[in-house]
Amino acid sequence: MSDLTLYPADIAAMSVGQLAALPPAQKAEISRNLDEALEWLKKARARFDAALDAAYGEQARAARLEAGKDFGVVHLTDGALRVTVDVPKRVSWDQAQLAAIARRIAAAGERVEDYLDVEFSVSESRFNHWPSALRAGFEAARTVKPGKPSFRLTLDEEAGHASA
């Protein structure tokens, strides 16, 4: 079975246990093929999205202008095809200016939380470099949880032959 190439449909039909039981060389091949497929799909999606923008972007901008909106959804038709074009609103805030506004709010005796969403955080590298006495005061507020594991497979040909 180690010489058998598994195709995406095969992989999708297999259980996690079956995939976990595959020989190392097959796991390495599948990992490499999936990474290449993901990269290809990202590039293909970007190219196709650019083509859709070339085909419908101007019409969508005109429809949005006619509707009096800069963002959101407009619907277009191209023969039997209904095209929904969504331009989401992305808002960013200048952190230095917000900090100055927060200080003015607090100086006026108001609660900053009534006006701004406030989230405090400490970078892990900063926390790790603090003296232990300072860290101790923060530890009760700190929760550490594991992130999602990631795996990178490389096939060592010599080890593969030695264990075969």
Side-chain angles (χ1 to χ4, degrees), residues 102 104-115:
R104 287 195 301 271
I105 291 170
E110 298 283 332
R111 287 174 21 96
V112 173
E113 295 84 357
D114 290 343
Y115 300 93

Side-chain angles (χ1 to χ4, degrees), residues 7-159:
Y7 295 98
D10 300 323
I11 295 167
M14 295 175 76
S15 71
V16 170
Q18 288 171 317
L19 289 167
L22 291 172
Q26 231 173 354
K27 288 176 186 159
E29 178 188 3
I30 289 169
S31 181
R32 184 178 55 256
N33 290 344
L34 288 174
D35 287 343
E36 289 172 5
L38 282 171
E39 186 61 31
W40 182 89
L41 283 171
K42 282 190 230 176
K43 288 178 182 175
R45 180 84 251 176
R47 181 178 295 263
F48 189 63
D49 286 347
L52 291 174
D53 189 51
Y56 303 112
E58 194 53 47
Q59 189 180 352
R61 285 183 281 282
R64 204 170 282 105
L65 183 64
E66 185 179 314
K69 58 185 184 177
D70 296 324
F71 307 101
V73 175
V74 293
H75 300 283
L76 312 171
T77 54
D78 183 2
L81 181 65
R82 178 180 166 105
V83 180
T84 301
V85 184
D86 185 9
V87 175
K89 184 190 302 185
R90 300 226 167 134
V91 177
S92 63
W93 294 90
D94 182 292
Q95 296 302 297
Q97 290 186 45
L98 283 181
I101 292 168
R103 286 189 293 274
R104 287 195 301 271
I105 291 170
E110 298 283 332
R111 287 174 21 96
V112 173
E113 295 84 357
D114 290 343
Y115 300 93
L116 301 172
D117 293 329
V118 179
E119 180 179 309
F120 297 104
S121 66
V122 176
S123 76
E124 195 64 9
S125 62
R126 181 181 291 168
F127 178 81
N128 288 331
H129 286 91
W130 285 347
S132 58
L134 179 58
R135 280 198 315 258
F138 283 77
E139 284 176 347
R142 180 175 178 257
T143 301
V144 178
K145 294 186 270 184
K148 182 179 177 186
S150 65
F151 299 89
R152 189 171 65 87
L153 304 180
T154 56
L155 193 57
D156 182 358
E157 294 298 326
E158 293 173 13

